[in-house]
Amino acid sequence: MTNAAPRTNWAGNYTYNAGDLLIPASIEEAQELVRQTQQLRALGTRHCFHGIADSDGIQISLEHLNAITLDETARTVTLGAGVRYGDLAVWLHSRGYAIHNLASLPHISVVGGVMTATHGSGLRNRNLAAAVVGLEILNANGDLVTLTRDANPDTFPGAVVCLGALGIVTAITLQVEPTFEVAQTVYENLSFDHLKDNLRTIMDAAYSVSLFTTWQDHRATQVWLKQRVDDGVAAPAEFYGATRATTNLHPLAGHDPVNCTQQLGVPGPWHERLPHFRMEFTPSSGAEIQTELFVPIDMGYDAILAVETLKNEITPHLHVTELRAIAADDLWMSPNYRRDSLGIHFTWKAEPEAVARLVPQIEAVLSPFGAIPHWGKFFTMDPRVLQRRLPNLTRFKNLIYHYDPKGKFLNEFLENTIYAG
Ligand SMILES: Cc1cc2nc3c(=O)[nH]c(=O)nc-3n(C[C@H](O)[C@H](O)[C@H](O)COP(=O)(O)OP(=O)(O)OC[C@H]3O[C@@H](n4cnc5c(N)ncnc54)[C@H](O)[C@@H]3O)c2cc1C
C-alpha cells in the first residue's frame, strides 16, 4: 500500500521530501523493503516539527504492526511500532497496569516518542524512553536484531533514543506497573519569586507538575498538579500564593477546556489525568510550532529569568510556555542524560518567520546553562555547540556505523545536527 507525496508533518510546517510512503502489512514485508531500498526512514505519527523523519528515498509506516502482549511475570509490555500511547494506555489499564508517565498528547506513536526522548513531567519521573527495556530493530541489511537492557548493557542505552538512525524499530518492550489513579488540581497565578528558592520543591509537589506562563507579569498563569491517589491527595485553597481553580481550565486563557482532561481534584485512571488533552479529541493538524530546551533543574530559576528578559519579543508570538521537570536517565542521546532537568517549552503560533527569529535568541540566553533542545521540536542551535553538549556523541556515531555503515537511514536532519561541522 502506498501513499504518494507531498505529505506534511502534523503541524503542517514541514513537507517531507521523501517519495512514497509505504505501509508494510508485516515484519517480513518491512524487512523486504529495507533490503530492497537504498535510502529510507520510518515515519511515526508525524508529530515532530522538522525533518527528523524525512528521507531522500522513501518513508515507511509501521501502523499495521499493532499487536500488544503483556508479560505479567516480567512486568513488561511488548508492542508493535504502530501503537500510539493513548491506545496502549487504555489496553494496559483494562488489564490492571500502567506505564509511569505520559506526554501532554496521547496521539503520539510510542516508538516515535521514544526515538526523541519524549517526556511528561515529574521531578522523580524519567522521560518515556527510560521505560524501554527491549527493542527489535531491522538494521540496514534487513536483519531483525533484538536488544535488551539486560543482555546488551553496553549498547542498549545508546540504542533507545536513537533518532531513528539505527534502523526500523518493529517492536518495543516497556516496563509496566500496577495501574494507579491520579487527581488533577489547577492553581492560578504563581509568582516566579517563589521559584527562586523552591523550584525543586514546587516541581516535586505532586507526581507530575506543569507550570504554564505567557512570560508576562513574572508569574505562572497556571500550575497543574497531578497527584497519585495512593500518595494521598491534598488540595488546599492556596499553593505558594496561587489560588485553586474552581472550574476546569484550558492552559491557554480563554480557550474552552472541553478537550482537556478532568481537573478539580476528581480522581481518575492515570491515562485520563497525566495527559493534558483527552484521547477522544483528535487534532488532525495544529496551528502551532513547538520548541523546548532543557537545562539542569538547579539552574532552572536563573534560566527562567534569562528567558524572561525576552518576554516582550516572545509573548506576541506565543500561545503558551510550559515548564516541566524530568528526572535524570542513562540514555546516551537523551537531553536528560545524567541531569535532572527543567524543560522550558514554547507552543508558538504558526508564525514560522517570527519563530525562526526568536528561537536563536532564546538559545543564546540559555547558552550559559548548557541548554539542550528537544530532538522532536524546532531548534536552530549551531551544530558545533549542540555537539559539545552531547557527551556520548562519539560512541553514538560508532553505534550508528555498526547498524548502518552505508547511511541507509541517514537524512538531512542528522547531517545538519550531529554530523555537521
Ligand atoms: C501536539 C503535540 C504535543 C506534544 N507533546 C509532547 C510532550 O508532552 N512531551 C514531549 O516530550 N514531546 C511532545 N511532543 C513532541 C513529540 O512527542 C515528539 O516529536 C515525538 O518524537 C513524535 O513522535 P511521532 O511518531 O509522532 O513523530 P515522527 O516525526 O513521525 O517520528 C519521530 C522520529 O521517530 C522515528 N521513528 C518513528 N517510528 C519509527 C520506527 N518504527 N523505527 C525507527 N524510527 C522511527 C522517525 O524516523 C523520527 O526520527 C508533542 C508534539 C505535538 C505535535
Side-chain angles (χ1 to χ4, degrees), residues 337-409:
Y337 178 77
R338 291 196 182 163
R339 66 183 201 187
D340 290 342
S341 305
L342 179 74
I344 307 178
H345 163 93
F346 303 81
T347 302
W348 302 106
K349 295 175 183 167
E351 298 174 1
E353 282 157 28
V355 173
R357 180 167 46 77
L358 285 164
V359 170
Q361 296 178 49
I362 295 169
E363 290 169 348
V365 297
L366 290 179
S367 194
F369 309 100
I372 299 177
H374 190 305
W375 288 113
K377 301 183 184 178
F378 178 82
F379 62 94
T380 63
M381 194 174 286
D382 181 327
R384 286 158 303 184
V385 173
L386 174 62
Q387 289 166 20
R388 280 200 295 275
R389 294 181 188 164
L390 301 171
N392 299 297
L393 186 58
T394 304
R395 57 178 176 162
F396 180 60
K397 286 181 180 170
N398 290 340
L399 193 63
I400 295 179
Y401 186 75
H402 179 73
Y403 278 81
D404 183 21
K406 294 192 181 143
K408 191 173 266 197
F409 307 111

Side-chain angles (χ1 to χ4, degrees), residues 45 47 84-86 105-109 278-283:
T45 38
H47 285 93
R84 301 178 304 165
Y85 273 107
L105 193 78
H107 309 101
I108 295 164
S109 79
R278 294 173 191 268
M279 183 64 181
E280 316 85 80
F281 158 64
T282 308

Side-chain angles (χ1 to χ4, degrees), residues 18 29-42 52-60 137-143 163-168 399-415 419:
E29 271 188 42
Q31 197 158 28
E32 257 331 286
L33 281 172
V34 172
R35 289 194 172 132
Q36 289 165 7
T37 311
Q38 292 293 319
Q39 206 75 39
L40 80 160
R41 266 269 167 174
I52 189 170
D54 208 351
S55 168
D56 286 345
I58 59 160
Q59 289 172 312
I60 70 170
I137 308 183
L138 290 171
N139 67 14
N141 293 331
D143 300 330
L163 319 176
L166 297 192
I168 307 297
L399 193 63
I400 295 179
Y401 186 75
H402 179 73
Y403 278 81
D404 183 21
K406 294 192 181 143
K408 191 173 266 197
F409 307 111
L410 187 64
N411 63 10
E412 203 176 313
F413 175 86
L414 292 181
E415 278 166 9
Y419 288 106

Side-chain angles (χ1 to χ4, degrees), residues 3 14 17 26 35 69 91 97 102 109 114 138 158 175 199 227 256 288 291 303 317 348 358-359 367 409 415:
N3 189 337
Y14 184 88
N17 296 313
S26 63
R35 289 194 172 132
T69 44
W91 191 96
Y97 287 92
L102 287 167
S109 79
V114 164
L138 290 171
Q175 269 173 339
L199 181 60
Q227 296 173 295
D256 191 335
E288 63 184 61
T291 296
H317 307 288
W348 302 106
L358 285 164
V359 170
S367 194
F409 307 111
E415 278 166 9

Side-chain angles (χ1 to χ4, degrees), residues 39-81:
Q39 206 75 39
L40 80 160
R41 266 269 167 174
L43 182 64
T45 38
R46 303 180 296 120
H47 285 93
C48 290
F49 290 86
H50 46 54
I52 189 170
D54 208 351
S55 168
D56 286 345
I58 59 160
Q59 289 172 312
I60 70 170
S61 163
L62 301 181
E63 65 186 57
H64 293 320
L65 303 189
N66 46 25
I68 309 180
T69 44
L70 186 64
D71 181 337
E72 295 195 71
T73 311
R75 288 244 167 130
T76 58
V77 65
T78 299
L79 43 127

